[in-house]
Every structure is written in C-alpha cells, then in structure tokens.
Amino acid sequence: MKKILELDQYWDLLNKYQEKNPDMVYNHMMLPGEAAPHIDEGKLYYEEQKDGIVFSVKERDFCKLYFYISEESDIDLPEKDRPQLIECIYREEKEDSHIQKLRKKTEAAGFCPYVKNIRIRAEIKQKDLIPLDKKNLRQDLFWKYASEEDILAIYELWEIMDIYNSTIPEEKKLKEMLEEKELITVWKEGKICGVARVKLENRRTGSIWLITVSKELRRQGIATELYRLCFSILKEKGCRYVIQWCDEKNQAVLSASEKFGFQSDGTISRSYIQK
C-alpha cells in the first residue's frame, strides 16, 4: 500500500472514485477533518483496485479499513499481517439496502460482527456544573490537567479498554493533547484514579472520550465527578451540547451518563473484525 502524504491527495483520490461510480458501496465517508490527523501521524495508506479503492489507517496492533468499491465487487483485503476492522457509521433510521449490501460484503470477506457503539448527546445544564477554580471535587478528590509526568499512569488506566479502540492515542498524539489541555485527571490519595479527554467539536458542541476510572475505585461516585468536570470545562469553552460514543453493552458508562441526560441521537457505529 502507498502512504498518503497530503490531505489534497486523499481528497483527489476519493473524488476520482466518486465521480467514476456514484453508486459505489462504502463503509464510511471519511471527511477531510477525520483524515487529516491520520495523515499527520503517517498512518493513512491506500490501494487502488480494479473496481475501487481501499484506505487503511494503520494502528500499532491493527488496521482500520475504509473502502469504496462497485456494487458488483468483493472486498479485496490489502493487509494480511494484522487484525483488520471495518467500521460502518450510519443513522439508525437509515439502515437501508446500502447497509444490507455492506454487511453481505463484509461477511463474505470473512469479517465477523465485533461491537456496536451508539452516539449519545446531552445538553449542558447549570445544575451539573462545578466551579473550575476549586481543585477539590470532594474532600478526598482533586483534579488537574494532565502533564507529561502522568503519561504512564494514564496508559495504565486505559489498559482495561478494548485493544482495538483506535481512540487511544499514541504517545506523540497524547503529548499534543496535553498541550491543548484536552486531558483531565482525578486524583485520590496521591494517585490518578480517573481520566477523560474533552474535545471541542464545533462552536456549540464538545465531546468526551476515553473516560476511565480505576477498577478498584468504581462505584464511589468518581465517574459522576468526572462527568461534572468535563461538562464544566466544555461549558467554559462555549459549548451547549456534549456528545459521547459508547458500547451499547457498557452499562457502567450508560448508567453514569444517564444521570446527565444523555440520550441516543440515532447515530450507530458497527464494527466488524477479521483476526
């Protein structure tokens, strides 16, 4: 596969196949804003095939495929040496013939259903906010923006997450998040017990990613304090709404988020895997 070096190169390739075959089957139309970080990190590759094109985001332990092929073609896998994921993102009410064709193609290529994520959304309300000038969340908890000294402890917390979760950043990207003050940590008895990433998506909407609490300290209200903290930081950035992706089977996250009024916005992400 060939590496994509510039965003214009990706966009030109995508447009070429869209113009050639407007009715092509694809799993997710990766927009320039989504492709740009992968290009900057040297992770985005492509392979032109007989009846379409396949893009691959090469993570450390796996690769995620984005394909644009004709309706008559099969998925021809360009990677053979590592697990591969195909992610399909769509609106729940639009699970149409396109999605059905997509499923048939992924199954025919040897992929199995892996995980279903839903996107949830909430409006930031005053009752959920805390004063950010006070570092103590409770008598036994305090918070701060993460620093480079916290990197090892943060990765240790994230070890409980799905190894194929590509939102876990590599160290270079994580350091960029530190500079942007996107990572927040919660501490108890001198140790990090919780972490989350807050990100500005647009002028009115922020997002929460990678929210994690130490296994041994769960059911102590730490996740609730983390959510309040995330909401307060995003409110300060000018946001009115917050979105978050979560596994539909992750009851811990769903239960914690329900307290803040999160509800599904109808956007679904289904992942298929071939190991």
Side-chain angles (χ1 to χ4, degrees):
M1 299 192 80
K2 299 177 182 177
K3 182 184 287 189
I4 293 181
L5 303 176
E6 297 179 351
L7 185 58
D8 286 346
Q9 181 187 4
Y10 166 75
W11 201 234
D12 288 345
L13 285 165
L14 186 58
N15 286 331
K16 171 184 173 181
Y17 284 92
Q18 283 183 306
E19 292 170 4
K20 182 179 178 181
N21 186 356
D23 297 321
M24 71 172 108
V25 176
Y26 58 90
N27 58 315
H28 174 56
M29 189 71 72
M30 189 161 51
L31 298 174
E34 297 173 276
H38 299 312
I39 296 170
D40 292 342
E41 295 168 19
K43 294 180 178 179
L44 187 57
Y45 292 74
Y46 75 97
E47 180 178 277
E48 294 186 83
Q49 299 181 352
K50 180 182 178 181
D51 295 305
I53 186 168
V54 176
F55 297 98
S56 176
V57 177
K58 295 188 178 183
E59 303 289 351
R60 185 182 62 185
D61 299 313
F62 66 98
C63 61
K64 186 175 283 189
L65 303 179
Y66 300 87
F67 57 85
Y68 305 83
I69 58 178
S70 69
E71 193 171 314
E72 298 77 23
S73 299
D74 295 324
I75 299 173
D76 185 9
L77 300 176
E79 302 282 353
K80 308 291 185 183
D81 61 340
R82 65 179 77 187
Q84 302 171 85
L85 269 77
I86 290 176
E87 181 183 27
C88 310
I89 300 177
Y90 58 93
R91 297 290 295 176
E92 191 169 21
E93 70 272 13
K94 293 184 178 179
E95 193 168 349
D96 55 13
S97 60
H98 177 90
I99 297 298
Q100 293 167 9
K101 292 173 186 174
L102 187 57
R103 283 182 178 170
K104 289 180 180 178
K105 286 185 181 295
T106 55
E107 290 170 3
F111 285 80
C112 300
Y114 183 57
V115 68
K116 178 182 177 182
N117 289 315
I118 59 174
R119 192 170 70 184
I120 53 178
R121 183 174 182 266
E123 184 175 1
I124 298 176
K125 298 178 181 177
Q126 189 64 37
K127 68 179 181 65
D128 297 323
L129 304 180
I130 59 174
L132 294 174
D133 57 338
K134 295 182 179 180
K135 295 300 180 183
N136 281 359
L137 300 171
R138 297 187 322 217
Q139 188 174 0
D140 60 336
L141 291 177
F142 77 91
W143 77 275
K144 73 179 185 72
Y145 288 105
S147 62
E148 287 198 21
E149 291 76 20
D150 305 326
I151 288 177
L152 181 59
I154 289 171
Y155 276 127
E156 287 177 353
L157 272 180
W158 284 341
E159 282 180 357
I160 64 173
M161 300 188 114
D162 183 352
I163 64 169
Y164 300 123
N165 188 339
S166 59
T167 60
I168 297 176
E170 294 181 1
E171 189 168 334
K172 180 182 176 182
K173 180 63 178 177
L174 189 144
K175 288 180 178 179
E176 293 175 7
M177 294 177 185
L178 298 180
E179 292 177 7
E180 296 295 325
K181 291 191 172 181
E182 291 185 354
L183 284 177
I184 52 177
T185 56
V186 173
W187 295 67
K188 182 174 182 176
E189 298 176 353
K191 295 182 179 180
I192 294 177
C193 61
V195 64
R197 180 190 181 193
V198 290
K199 181 184 176 187
L200 196 62
E201 296 292 335
N202 56 50
R203 187 170 57 87
R204 301 181 68 197
T205 304
S207 57
I208 298 173
W209 300 85
L210 298 166
I211 189 164
T212 315
V213 174
S214 299
K215 275 186 175 182
E216 62 272 18
L217 294 175
R218 291 181 180 176
R219 299 184 182 277
Q220 297 185 25
I222 296 173
T224 298
E225 297 300 332
L226 256 175
Y227 271 107
R228 287 197 180 113
L229 184 55
C230 292
F231 271 48
S232 301
I233 290 171
L234 291 171
K235 178 67 173 179
E236 190 176 67
K237 293 178 181 289
C239 296
R240 182 178 176 183
Y241 302 100
V242 180
I243 59 173
Q244 181 183 4
W245 285 96
C246 65
D247 185 336
E248 67 170 358
K249 296 180 181 178
N250 191 331
Q251 289 302 316
V253 171
L254 291 172
S255 297
S257 61
E258 281 176 3
K259 299 175 184 177
F260 296 90
F262 277 98
Q263 294 183 336
S264 171
D265 71 356
T267 306
I268 303 294
S269 166
R270 286 185 181 270
S271 293
Y272 299 81
I273 191 168
Q274 185 192 70
K275 295 184 179 181

